[in-house]
Amino acid sequence: MTTAGGRTRIGDTALIFEGGGMRASLTSGMVVTLLEQGLAFDWVAGISAGASNSVNYLSHDARRARRSFVEFAADEQFGGLRSFVRGQGMFNAEYIYQRAGGPGEALPFDWEAFRSDPGDLRIIAFDAESGEDVVWSKSDLPHMEDLMVRVRASSTMPGLMPPVHLDGHVYVDGAMGEDGGIAISQAQAEGFEKFVIVLTQERSYRKAPQRFPAVYRGVFRRYPALGDALLTRWKRYNDTRERIFALEAEGRAHVFAPDIMPVDNGTRDLSRLAAAHRMGLSQARRELPALREFVGLPTP
């Protein structure tokens, strides 16, 4: 653990952001709090909306962290039924991830700050044809376009957004993969034994099996591995959360789980999203002393 430029680098603990669409309006409050405190993790992983939280965190952009999941939802190009009918998806992913982050656009991304931060990144997506996870790190991202298309791939909800075709593969939301959307196995595979895990569901939440499995298999008949993953995700997700809470009980994980999650993955109401963000900020700041103690830092 080192301190430089007002930021404390944390090298022995993995920081993991769960996805969850617009539920990240709440967990972006954790991004803002970590940046306010200058807590700089050297290894950060995110899936789906968690990938957006991760890259905003690594670019040191607290304002963008909030805007991504609160104000940006008001953008007329953000998505909706018309966008879906036009084949752009219920969320217009090409615009959200690959255009809006450019200089002078609606949600500019500080590529230089991201690139210069020594922290590494893991983004996970799901290969719809092979049924395997793909993991990308900073070494796979020489240009901003390489980053943004992979964040898009990790965030592509099957059926609601068109899949991403990249390097001869077809990718969708990383939540279809091994851990159901929380990258704990990747962190453990890379040798980490301590984890800060930011969840987007309450502690009591349990995912239920999908109803009408024949419908899912029919819709995704071109990608049977994806159909299988969708139908079994509930079990992998619940099992992953059990593992996480077991790690917490052992003192090896600090888990941020929303006290209350007031929005769902598709919420577009700005007042509700703003309220969720305030709730996330309040909870993150309240839990900050415990987080600092967990990573071995005194409370200021």
Side-chain angles (χ1 to χ4, degrees):
M1 189 176 298
T2 59
T3 302
R7 308 187 79 227
T8 302
R9 300 222 64 89
I10 301 166
D12 65 347
T13 303
L15 174 61
I16 300 171
F17 288 100
E18 182 184 3
M22 303 311 289
R23 288 192 289 270
S25 57
L26 190 148
T27 53
S28 62
M30 176 59 90
V31 177
V32 172
T33 300
L34 293 174
L35 292 174
E36 288 176 341
Q37 293 294 312
L39 300 181
F41 288 79
D42 285 339
W43 193 96
V44 186
I47 294 173
S48 198
S52 291
N53 268 339
S54 297
V55 301
N56 288 333
Y57 169 75
L58 286 171
S59 68
H60 314 168
D61 197 337
R63 183 168 182 264
R64 191 179 196 270
R66 181 186 186 278
R67 291 188 64 222
S68 294
F69 294 103
V70 179
E71 296 148 8
F72 191 38
D75 192 304
E76 63 181 13
Q77 298 185 72
F78 188 81
L81 188 56
R82 289 182 181 177
S83 172
F84 183 76
V85 170
R86 289 195 296 263
Q88 297 169 322
M90 191 60 72
F91 294 92
N92 184 356
E94 190 274 335
Y95 172 71
I96 292 170
Y97 299 105
Q98 294 181 258
R99 282 197 283 144
E105 297 291 343
L107 199 66
F109 180 75
D110 193 336
W111 169 250
E112 291 304 322
F114 170 83
R115 188 172 65 170
S116 63
D117 188 291
D120 206 352
L121 172 69
R122 300 294 181 271
I123 296 174
I124 300 176
F126 182 80
D127 188 315
E129 295 177 313
S130 71
E132 297 178 351
D133 289 357
V134 60
V135 183
W136 294 299
S137 69
K138 268 191 171 180
S139 63
D140 301 303
L141 313 169
H143 306 289
M144 190 172 99
E145 294 79 8
D146 301 308
L147 169 65
M148 290 306 181
V149 72
R150 286 162 174 80
V151 174
R152 175 185 174 184
S154 179
S155 307
T156 295
M157 292 183 278
L160 295 179
M161 301 156 75
V164 172
H165 295 258
L166 179 66
D167 299 332
H169 295 267
V170 181
Y171 294 118
V172 297
D173 199 314
M176 300 302 110
E178 177 180 8
D179 287 331
I182 310 167
I184 185 67
S185 291
Q186 183 64 32
Q188 290 176 318
E190 296 194 36
F192 285 95
E193 297 184 355
K194 290 183 63 179
F195 316 90
V196 171
I197 305 168
V198 183
L199 301 179
T200 55
Q201 296 283 13
E202 300 166 16
R203 286 181 177 269
S204 60
Y205 179 80
R206 295 280 294 179
K207 187 173 287 296
Q210 297 286 0
R211 300 172 63 191
F212 313 116
V215 173
Y216 279 85
R217 294 194 188 281
V219 169
F220 298 103
R221 60 187 177 277
R222 185 177 177 184
Y223 303 112
L226 173 56
D228 289 342
L230 276 162
L231 292 172
T232 57
R233 185 196 168 209
W234 68 275
K235 187 176 189 309
R236 293 193 307 284
Y237 181 78
N238 292 339
D239 288 349
T240 296
R241 282 172 54 98
E242 288 180 8
R243 289 169 54 202
I244 286 168
F245 293 133
L247 288 167
E248 181 184 43
E250 295 168 8
R252 295 171 56 198
H254 176 91
V255 179
F256 176 95
D259 293 334
I260 299 171
M261 177 47 71
V263 298
D264 59 33
N265 65 351
T267 299
R268 294 281 299 276
D269 185 297
L270 265 61
S271 63
R272 292 178 62 199
L273 294 171
H277 181 77
R278 290 193 298 271
M279 291 174 65
L281 273 176
S282 177
Q283 183 177 343
R285 290 167 178 168
R286 187 174 70 246
E287 295 184 5
L288 184 62
L291 188 154
R292 291 182 65 93
E293 181 181 2
F294 177 75
V295 298
L297 291 174
T299 299

